[in-house]
Amino acid sequence: MAHSDSQVLVLAPRFPSINQPWIDTYLEQLLCSELPFSVVSHRRDSGVHFEKVERLQLHERVVVLPAQPSTLFRMALRGLLTSPWREARRIWSAQQTFSSDPRRRRRSVSVLMAIATRRIFESLPNVRVVHSHSLDMAYACLPELQDRQLPLVITFHGLKPSGVPQTPEIWSDEVFAAASTVIVNTQFARQQAAELGCPIAKIVVLPQGLPLHDFPFLPRQPICADNTLEVLSVGRFHRDKGQQYSLLALCRLVRDGVRIHWHFAGVGPNKAALEALARRLGVSQFVTFHVGVSVGGLRELYQRCQLFVLASVGSTGVAEHVETQGVVLQEAQASGCIPIATRVGGIPECITDGVDGMLITDRSHRAIATAIRELCDKSDEWESMRRCGRTNVEERFSAERVGEQMAVILRAASQPLSEPTTDG
């Protein structure tokens, strides 16, 4: 049940979700900053999620906002039957807000979503600022934000992956206009937001933080010729993560006699296709797919493997998803696993090529294989690269430092964010 004393209302489409550990970290830092909050999500993920959610009882702060039009319609109908005049006023107010949307069906769904959102706000009377991690959810809240004169902070996580409809331009225009602050994680994401119409003056660059205690640094001995090189890739199984190029690189390395085993950890729709590709290439025995890995299991993989590969692909057209930060790179560096990553999106802002990792061309299995060989040829430099990687995360991506800056932004958005008072 959401906390009625919540001062920060967090909008997150899916929570909890093992695909998005950054939201767990963000909410943990709100607790550390003593900012009471509730989370509005379209659904509680019924799949696996990280144990932090249970340990911090974050699931108890979630209130579900249905996304299905049929469910929203039934909710509105019940409201009309029980309180016809009040519900009619809600419908009229929402229709006025979304009247400029040219598509009738989309406008109708927005109205229904806004009505359901109002009920949530009525159950949380102490909300002082709304922090949305979704442009779509923020759009649905616009009537309530306007009526209550609540400040809106947006975290823009980049464009949606291929196969997922992008936010309509009219929605993003109105949300950016209503927001007081728009947070992005890299300069690349800042440029993306600006190209979508967000005023530059509203944009603040603040990276996604990493809880260092979850990823302790483990020094390792250089690999010997008789040992198997273990490589790790972490991320959802999706074409834009480029795992297919990693499998092709693995095939080249195995063919050249390199003793190697590649671990892929994640969840997603492309796992079966990747397994089929591994079979066609004849490298299945050199690959392990890990699904729904816990933080402890992920930590063990990072500490077991010597190298990490993030083969994300860049954009070839307009409105395509591109990696804006790649938090898995910080997880690898914090753990002492040397990253190899493609030079796309915001990734080059997070790695210093040749110092704490390697940057390569995207969509090239040859580039991946060549980088692995080059690192193996200079294993005497591994310890220095590992130490530099850990320092990079400690100085730039620590969750504690990022959380402190986030708290400053949220407090500044609505002054003062005072602590709840008690009578007597």
Side-chain angles (χ1 to χ4, degrees):
M1 179 181 295
H3 289 207
S4 59
D5 65 339
S6 297
Q7 296 181 2
V8 181
L9 187 61
V10 180
L11 308 182
R14 274 178 45 178
F15 177 79
S17 171
I18 202 165
N19 260 353
Q20 300 175 337
W22 50 264
I23 191 71
D24 304 355
T25 301
Y26 159 75
L27 296 177
E28 181 181 29
Q29 290 307 307
L30 289 185
L31 291 175
C32 293
S33 300
E34 299 182 343
L35 288 174
F37 65 89
S38 289
V39 181
V40 176
S41 179
H42 284 320
R43 68 182 181 91
R44 292 186 177 93
D45 196 330
S46 58
V48 292
H49 52 264
F50 289 126
E51 59 269 23
K52 183 179 293 184
V53 174
E54 304 297 332
R55 175 167 51 83
L56 299 177
Q57 299 181 320
L58 298 177
H59 58 289
E60 296 185 1
R61 296 173 176 267
V62 177
V63 56
V64 176
L65 174 64
Q68 298 81 8
S70 58
T71 303
L72 293 168
F73 178 77
R74 287 194 297 270
M75 291 175 64
L77 185 60
R78 286 196 300 268
L80 281 170
L81 293 175
T82 56
S83 302
W85 289 111
R86 184 176 64 179
E87 202 70 4
R89 286 196 299 270
R90 288 174 174 172
I91 294 172
W92 173 256
S93 175
Q95 284 180 329
Q96 294 299 108
T97 300
F98 302 127
S99 60
S100 58
D101 196 326
R103 294 180 58 179
R104 180 178 300 177
R105 183 181 184 279
R106 196 170 62 189
R107 185 167 66 243
S108 299
V109 173
S110 298
V111 170
L112 293 173
M113 188 78 72
I115 295 169
T117 301
R118 173 154 297 197
R119 293 190 177 91
I120 293 174
F121 278 89
E122 289 173 348
S123 69
L124 300 169
N126 294 322
V127 170
R128 303 293 297 279
V129 60
V130 175
H131 185 185
S132 180
H133 294 267
S134 160
L135 296 178
D136 296 8
M137 293 187 76
Y139 183 73
C141 286
L142 287 181
E144 198 65 20
L145 294 173
Q146 293 169 0
D147 287 351
R148 295 175 182 265
Q149 297 185 324
L150 285 172
L152 172 65
V153 174
I154 295 289
T155 290
F156 173 68
H157 293 277
L159 299 174
K160 299 176 186 177
S162 59
V164 179
Q166 297 294 332
T167 301
E169 182 178 351
I170 189 173
W171 291 15
S172 57
D173 286 346
E174 294 192 24
V175 168
F176 286 141
S180 61
T181 305
V182 177
I183 301 170
V184 297
N185 52 29
T186 54
Q187 292 293 335
F188 172 80
R190 179 177 184 267
Q191 183 61 32
Q192 270 194 338
E195 290 175 355
L196 288 176
C198 181
I200 289 289
K202 292 186 176 184
I203 303 176
V204 174
V205 178
L206 182 65
Q208 292 175 18
L210 185 74
L212 295 174
H213 52 79
D214 284 344
F215 300 93
F217 182 80
L218 178 67
R220 272 155 273 192
Q221 296 296 321
I223 190 169
C224 301
D226 295 335
N227 293 340
T228 298
L229 175 68
E230 298 202 63
V231 182
L232 174 63
S233 293
V234 178
R236 72 184 184 282
F237 299 126
H238 193 282
R239 292 186 63 85
D240 62 14
K241 292 295 183 181
Q243 290 109 337
Q244 63 273 28
Y245 299 104
S246 294
L247 286 174
L248 290 166
L250 173 62
C251 182
R252 293 177 66 91
L253 293 166
V254 169
R255 189 177 59 204
D256 292 345
V258 178
R259 298 187 61 176
I260 184 172
H261 193 91
W262 207 302
H263 300 267
F264 291 91
V267 294
N270 212 36
K271 177 174 176 287
L274 292 171
E275 290 175 324
L277 177 59
R279 288 193 296 270
R280 289 199 302 272
L281 295 173
V283 297
S284 294
Q285 62 182 312
F286 307 105
V287 177
T288 302
F289 289 93
H290 305 264
V291 178
V293 184
S294 66
V295 170
L298 194 57
R299 178 167 54 241
E300 291 176 4
L301 282 173
Y302 278 121
Q303 295 183 342
R304 173 180 177 177
C305 298
Q306 292 85 19
L307 304 180
F308 180 88
V309 174
L310 180 62
S312 296
V313 300
S315 173
T316 58
V318 180
E320 288 188 5
H321 170 78
V322 183
E323 204 83 57
T324 57
Q325 178 177 334
V327 179
V328 291
L329 296 172
Q330 285 78 64
E331 294 176 356
Q333 287 187 320
S335 307
C337 192
I338 300 173
I340 299 168
T342 47
R343 198 186 300 270
V344 301
I347 289 176
E349 300 177 44
C350 305
I351 290 178
T352 303
D353 188 25
V355 176
D356 52 31
M358 289 188 68
L359 293 172
I360 60 173
T361 304
D362 70 318
R363 302 176 191 271
S364 172
H365 58 278
R366 292 182 179 85
I368 298 172
T370 299
I372 290 175
R373 288 196 197 94
E374 288 181 1
L375 281 172
C376 288
D377 289 341
K378 53 182 181 181
S379 60
D380 57 324
E381 299 179 15
W382 284 13
E383 186 60 25
S384 173
M385 295 183 76
R386 287 173 175 148
R387 294 286 179 183
C388 289
R390 176 71 184 192
T391 300
N392 178 48
V393 178
E394 290 175 344
E395 294 182 350
R396 301 174 58 203
F397 300 100
S398 163
E400 288 73 16
R401 294 189 180 189
V402 172
E404 291 173 357
Q405 296 175 65
M406 181 68 74
V408 169
I409 292 172
L410 294 176
R411 287 193 169 97
S414 180
Q415 291 286 355
L417 273 179
S418 57
E419 296 296 326
T421 59
T422 56
D423 295 335

